[in-house]
Amino acid sequence: MKVFINPGHAPGGNPDPGACNVYTGLRECDVAAEVGRLTAHYLNAVGIETEILQSDSLYEVCRKANASEADLFISIHCNSAANSAANGTETWYCHGSKNGANLAKYINGQILWTFDTADRGIKEARPGVNGLYVLTNTNMPAVLVELAFISNEDDEKLLRNNQDDFARAIARGVTDYL
């Protein structure tokens, strides 16, 4: 079993750090990198092989994921909204992927169980409508996890202080799926 992990946005934030909290400076790229690294650690600890790539090139991410012969693909992100009241966790999968939907359900469920965050649900990415590139261009069951809202004060604290717990929840979601 092999899992390809894609922490969202550019390594080190250059050129694109992703979403940033305007008050604290917390950057999505940094949260995603650490949660991705820790998720790989926990999956490796139970005998699941991992490969990690953080890149601003979505084409490169998909090309390497497809070439990796991974069984699963997980992209890790933080959500953001103009309305600072927006909060919670959501997990996306590609339209028509029953296995992707199941993986999304298990990962989302583990995060909700861990943090009791608002459940924004399991969402389906549809090519040509709201197709998230990494979900619609990978060959294996794939999910994109929006851990929490970096723009929300309470969610930002979770993202800043509980990266290890997010990683454990994602890893448990993978093992539940298996």
Side-chain angles (χ1 to χ4, degrees):
M1 169 60 60
K2 184 175 185 180
V3 178
F4 193 95
I5 300 171
N6 166 234
H9 300 281
N14 188 11
D16 178 17
C20 298
N21 185 290
V22 297
Y23 301 106
T24 67
L26 186 65
R27 302 182 317 169
E28 179 178 8
C29 63
D30 300 327
V31 173
E34 184 62 8
V35 172
R37 184 188 70 75
L38 290 166
T39 299
H41 167 76
Y42 292 119
L43 290 173
N44 294 157
V46 296
I48 298 171
E49 184 181 353
T50 58
E51 186 171 332
I52 300 176
L53 176 62
Q54 184 174 32
S55 172
D56 239 8
S57 170
L58 300 181
Y59 172 80
E60 177 187 17
V61 169
C62 294
R63 183 181 62 76
K64 288 199 174 185
N66 291 334
S68 74
E69 299 184 11
D71 301 289
L72 301 174
F73 176 93
I74 301 170
S75 191
I76 301 170
H77 292 265
C78 303
N79 224 332
S80 184
N83 178 355
S84 63
N87 68 333
T89 299
E90 63 191 39
T91 306
W92 291 79
Y93 68 96
C94 187
H95 171 73
S97 174
K98 181 180 177 188
N99 289 333
N102 283 333
L103 179 60
K105 177 184 76 168
Y106 286 117
I107 290 173
N108 206 70
Q110 281 291 342
I111 293 171
L112 295 175
W113 180 82
T114 300
F115 294 109
D116 194 31
T117 60
D119 182 4
R120 296 179 60 88
I122 306 303
K123 299 186 176 183
E124 184 178 62
R126 292 181 170 269
V129 177
N130 60 353
L132 299 167
Y133 189 89
V134 295
L135 298 183
T136 59
N137 289 281
T138 47
N139 297 333
M140 66 289 292
V143 298
L144 187 145
V145 183
E146 295 279 9
L147 300 170
F149 277 77
I150 205 164
S151 53
N152 176 277
E153 183 179 356
D154 293 330
D155 277 10
E156 188 275 350
K157 288 176 186 167
L158 290 176
L159 293 168
R160 176 181 298 280
N161 299 320
N162 299 90
Q163 294 168 11
D164 187 74
D165 294 323
F166 276 111
R168 288 175 187 264
I170 293 169
R172 283 193 311 270
V174 170
T175 59
D176 288 351
Y177 167 84
L178 298 176

